[in-house]
Amino acid sequence: MDVKRFVKILNADFYTGVPDSQLKPLCNYLMAEYGIDQKHHVIAANEGNCTALAAGYHLATGKIPVVYMQNSGEGNIINPVASLLNDKVYAIPVIFVVGWRGEPGIHDEPQHIYQGQVTVKLLEDMDIRAFVIRQDTTMEDVSAAMKDFQKVLSQGKSVAFVIGKSGLSYDGKVKYVNDNTMRREEIIKHIVKVSGEDPIISTTGKASRELFEIRETNGQSHKYDFLTVGSMGHSSSIALGVAINKPQQKIWCIDGDGAALMHMGSMAVIGANAPANLVHIVINNGAHETVGGMPTVASKVDLVGVAKACGYHSAVKVYNFADLEKELNAAKQRNILSFIEVACAIGSRADLGRPTTKAVDNKECFMRYLATQI
Ligand SMILES: Cc1ncc(C[n+]2csc(CCOP(=O)(O)OP(=O)(O)O)c2C)c(N)n1
């Protein structure tokens, strides 16, 4: 259904969320209508973060907020839903809008399959009543569901609209740009060149897809790479776990700014442990490029300052390929925990593919390779 009709039915004046490709019509509509405006629309770091922010809005206004997210974010909302919103605690009503990746019967990537199977059940387990919007769902169906939901919301319980493939549409266009010149795929090519045979742990989204295709183009094995296809925000912690246990081996983490922000506490833990063999690279395009380009707050954050404050021994930001090459080589040579932020343009190849090998095969291949290192 047309997103403008959908938001009319929701009748809310505050939205907070983490963008999702399946919710692009809603995200683009909100960006066109409000941009980022703290009164009406805040893109937050993770979905739990959104839920708590929405709760604060309710406490201050008495009104009902909307939290939008991909179903991958359900794990991030469970704690604040169960121990903050739930009617056995504070009874704070929220309307969730959940993009349904991996819906049973619809082909999707491995990281979405199980999450897709349990999406509605998880909501029900959290005492959130759900209504599914599919391509053929009418405005009347949604209005009737909202009418039912009003009763539930008035009891201090939360509800969810689960959006299936093509469930929402938007006829407006929004373009996301920044002033940076380096493209992510080129940046990753440089990292691949300098890292040589060192293991790489790469983040969720197109960065991992690009890394996979670069290996294919180079005729190289995928054994060097652990692609964090799901579990957004956790690749740097995976890299920490590997680095601590392979102290003689240089380990590279390719992170995104959205992912780094999502679980930024990991930087404090990395800094405190300070593995000398870890290089943490954040490719910062100030955007959730993989799911459409909607902004993160990273263009307003001094990530190098954060890394330094967390205890990284070296932290720099680069804006061009000459400096990138220089810093990558320096990080390769020295033996201290290093952080490199790379200013990146928004965009990617239209014909970018997806990993063609199975996730479990990727893991086994990576583990066999790691086992040969000390
Ligand atoms: C918990 C969770 N929430 C949302 C998503 C959907 N998602 C996949 S990639 C992505 C954007 C990642 O942004 P960033 O790390 O900045 O990398 P970029 O796409 O810009 O390269 C999002 C929101 C997800 N996979 N997991």
Side-chain angles (χ1 to χ4, degrees):
M1 77 182 287
D2 182 347
V3 72
K4 288 189 203 141
R5 294 184 166 181
F6 178 57
V7 297
K8 225 176 199 151
I9 294 170
L10 295 181
N11 192 28
D13 81 343
F14 181 68
Y15 289 78
T16 177
V18 175
D20 168 35
S21 50
Q22 200 133 303
L23 295 182
K24 233 186 261 179
L26 176 64
C27 299
N28 285 344
Y29 166 82
L30 292 171
M31 287 304 296
E33 187 71 11
Y34 302 122
I36 296 296
D37 150 12
Q38 52 183 236
K39 276 272 177 210
H40 299 291
H41 182 217
V42 175
I43 295 179
N46 68 56
E47 296 80 358
N49 191 196
C50 301
T51 305
L53 174 54
Y57 165 87
H58 176 79
L59 294 177
T61 65
K63 294 192 274 188
I64 299 176
V66 175
V67 169
Y68 65 86
M69 56 185 234
Q70 183 177 100
N71 55 345
S72 315
E74 280 186 331
N76 285 336
I77 68 167
I78 287 179
N79 175 247
V81 167
S83 63
L84 173 68
L85 305 189
N86 186 271
D87 62 342
K88 292 189 176 61
V89 197
Y90 289 114
I92 295 175
V94 169
I95 301 170
F96 289 92
V97 178
V98 182
W100 195 356
R101 295 294 304 267
E103 180 179 353
I106 297 179
H107 174 76
D108 212 329
E109 295 303 298
Q111 66 273 23
H112 296 298
I113 295 173
Y114 180 68
Q115 183 74 58
Q117 283 168 9
V118 298
T119 291
V120 174
K121 183 175 179 302
L122 261 183
L123 290 167
E124 287 167 358
D125 285 348
M126 290 191 284
D127 201 22
I128 296 176
R129 185 155 336 150
F131 178 84
V132 180
I133 299 183
R134 295 203 170 79
Q135 198 170 5
D136 57 358
T137 305
T138 64
M139 202 176 96
E140 290 71 32
D141 296 336
V142 179
S143 296
M146 190 62 200
K147 216 164 172 197
D148 275 353
F149 279 178
Q150 295 293 3
K151 290 176 226 144
V152 179
L153 291 162
S154 68
Q155 295 159 12
K157 290 174 183 262
S158 296
V159 299
F161 287 100
V162 178
I163 313 296
K165 203 170 178 171
S166 309
L168 292 177
S169 60
Y170 176 53
D171 52 16
K173 288 234 174 323
V174 186
K175 209 167 157 42
Y176 301 99
V177 286
N178 65 25
D179 294 334
N180 302 324
T181 53
M182 289 187 282
R183 291 175 70 84
R184 188 184 48 225
E185 189 167 10
E186 290 303 314
I187 293 166
I188 297 174
K189 276 185 194 160
H190 279 71
I191 299 170
V192 163
K193 194 175 88 192
V194 176
S195 61
E197 296 214 293
D198 300 337
I200 296 178
I201 287 94
S202 61
T203 188
T204 314
K206 290 186 184 169
S208 282
R209 291 164 57 185
E210 288 167 347
L211 176 58
F212 187 91
E213 291 214 340
I214 291 166
R215 296 292 189 199
E216 292 277 298
T217 309
N218 291 354
Q220 289 173 306
S221 168
H222 297 291
K223 68 182 179 185
Y224 308 112
D225 311 324
F226 184 81
L227 312 176
T228 316
V229 289
S231 214
M232 180 175 161
H234 292 303
S235 57
S236 63
S237 297
I238 298 169
L240 173 63
V242 173
I244 287 171
N245 290 289
K246 294 286 170 188
Q248 304 302 318
Q249 173 61 57
K250 183 124 291 179
I251 304 295
W252 302 74
C253 174
I254 300 179
D255 215 346
D257 54 292
L261 288 168
M262 184 164 270
H263 295 298
M264 211 165 175
S266 65
M267 287 179 67
V269 178
I270 292 169
N273 283 278
N277 54 332
L278 180 61
V279 185
H280 185 184
I281 300 166
V282 175
I283 300 180
N284 187 356
N285 51 17
H288 297 93
E289 198 278 325
T290 296
V291 293
M294 305 82 183
T296 69
V297 295
S299 49
K300 298 197 183 85
V301 176
D302 174 8
L303 289 175
V304 167
V306 171
K308 282 187 181 156
C310 286
Y312 286 65
H313 293 164
S314 163
V316 293
K317 180 166 184 176
V318 295
Y319 298 87
N320 57 58
F321 286 115
D323 288 344
L324 173 64
E325 190 98 353
K326 191 174 118 227
E327 292 301 336
L328 289 172
N329 280 303
K332 170 102 178 168
Q333 295 313 319
R334 65 184 170 227
N335 202 28
I336 53 170
L337 172 61
S338 304
F339 180 85
I340 306 173
E341 180 186 354
V342 189
C344 177
I346 301 176
S348 52
R349 249 190 310 127
D351 62 349
L352 179 64
R354 293 176 182 277
T356 49
T357 54
K358 278 171 65 181
V360 173
D361 293 344
N362 171 262
K363 179 199 76 173
E364 281 168 4
C365 198
F366 181 74
M367 286 181 74
R368 272 198 301 275
Y369 181 61
L370 272 189
T372 65
Q373 313 295 309
I374 43 169

